[in-house]
């Protein structure tokens, strides 16, 4: 019989968010774990393709409450995962890790691409609401991560993370994050091994 790998030991301030999709149930678990921590330090380990906008924003808001927060992305934190990662005061990424744009997806389409016609059943209006809300939120986030940055520098980062010149899931690698002026450092292999152990639960 094959023995299951042992889960890595975690410090009390580490909260793993290792899941294909961040739904409201995942958000509840993450928020509960963060609520039990002192508000001075937390580390979130992200491996996800994103998920429910409200769920990801709630987790990002909780990160903002900590004096020091670190987001570690060994492999990928796509869409809502990127939104969470950007709200940590420190970001670490693996050598092959990727973030992506955070613009909202409604009914499988980018909100900005939803048609404004009688067949859309109100999706266009909903998409506009989500696009406006996320645009404002990401501007706040980038202003906090790039204190003192010029409007041009903030706008350049905003366009990248809103995916204005690339598909929604297009990979944003560590060198590109650095080129935008965002502080990011390499993640050690230990974090990738931790994510590997969690990923085996999906198979």
């Amino acid at each position: 019989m094959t023995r299951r790998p042992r889960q890595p030991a975690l410090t009390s301030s580490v909260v793993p968010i290792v899941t294909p999709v961040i739904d409201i149930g995942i958000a509840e678990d993450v928020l509960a774990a963060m609520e039990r921590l002192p508000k001075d330090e937390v580390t979130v380990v992200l491996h996800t393709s994103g998920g429910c906008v409200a769920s990801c924003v709630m987790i990002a808001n909780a990160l903002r409450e900590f004096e020091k927060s670190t987001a570690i992305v060994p492999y990928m934190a796509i869409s809502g995962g990127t939104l969470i990662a950007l709200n940590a005061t420190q970001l670490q990424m693996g050598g092959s890790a990727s973030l992506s744009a955070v613009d909202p997806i409604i009914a499988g389409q980018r909100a900005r691409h939803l048609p404004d016609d009688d067949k859309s059943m109100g999706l266009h209006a909903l998409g506009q609401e989500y696009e406006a809300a996320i645009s404002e939120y990401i501007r706040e986030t980038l202003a906090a991560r790039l204190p003192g940055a010029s409007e041009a520098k903030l706008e350049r980062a905003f366009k990248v993370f809103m995916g204005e010149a690339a598909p929604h899931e297009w990979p944003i690698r560590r060198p590109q994050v650095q080129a935008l002026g965002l502080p990011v450092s390499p993640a050690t292999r230990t974090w990738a091994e931790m994510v590997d152990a969690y990923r085996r639960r999906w198979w």
Side-chain angles (χ1 to χ4, degrees):
M1 184 175 71
T2 304
R3 296 183 63 183
R4 291 182 61 83
R6 295 180 62 186
Q7 297 299 319
L10 302 178
T11 65
S12 58
S13 64
V14 175
V15 179
I17 308 176
V18 182
T19 177
V21 177
I22 301 171
D23 58 19
I24 195 68
I26 296 293
E28 287 177 332
D29 291 342
V30 171
L31 294 174
M34 293 170 76
E35 185 65 25
R36 291 192 291 268
L37 298 175
K39 291 301 181 182
D40 55 350
E41 185 172 0
V42 65
T43 296
V44 292
V45 182
L46 287 154
H47 182 74
T48 181
S49 58
C52 167
V53 172
S55 298
C56 295
V57 170
M58 285 190 287
I59 295 171
N61 285 341
L63 271 183
R64 292 181 175 187
E65 298 298 316
F66 286 83
E67 181 180 337
K68 178 182 177 182
S69 54
T70 303
I72 300 174
V73 183
Y75 299 123
M76 64 178 189
I78 305 302
S79 192
T82 295
L83 187 68
I84 294 169
L86 290 177
N87 274 278
T89 57
Q90 298 183 37
L91 174 61
Q92 297 179 20
M93 295 176 66
S96 299
S98 296
L99 305 178
S100 82
V102 301
D103 61 304
I105 303 296
I106 307 292
Q109 295 188 64
R110 301 180 95 164
R112 69 177 70 124
H113 295 161
L114 288 169
D116 185 11
D117 55 34
D118 294 338
K119 298 178 181 179
S120 66
M121 298 179 293
L123 287 179
H124 176 76
L126 180 64
Q128 287 185 313
E129 291 173 354
Y130 270 105
E131 184 83 7
I134 291 297
S135 292
E136 181 178 355
Y137 195 85
I138 196 66
R139 286 187 187 278
E140 290 177 3
T141 297
L142 292 171
R145 297 286 75 81
L146 294 166
S150 66
E151 284 299 320
K153 189 172 185 178
L154 286 171
E155 188 64 20
R156 184 164 60 251
F158 174 80
K159 287 181 177 180
V160 169
F161 285 109
M162 287 300 288
E164 293 194 7
H168 178 75
E169 294 90 357
W170 191 261
I172 302 172
R173 302 285 300 280
R174 192 171 71 209
Q176 188 175 3
V177 175
Q178 291 173 321
L180 293 171
L182 291 162
V184 57
S185 56
T188 64
R189 179 64 197 173
T190 302
W191 296 111
E193 292 170 353
M194 191 209 87
V195 168
D196 291 343
Y198 274 87
R199 286 194 308 120
R200 291 187 179 96
R201 298 177 179 180
W202 304 352
W203 304 336

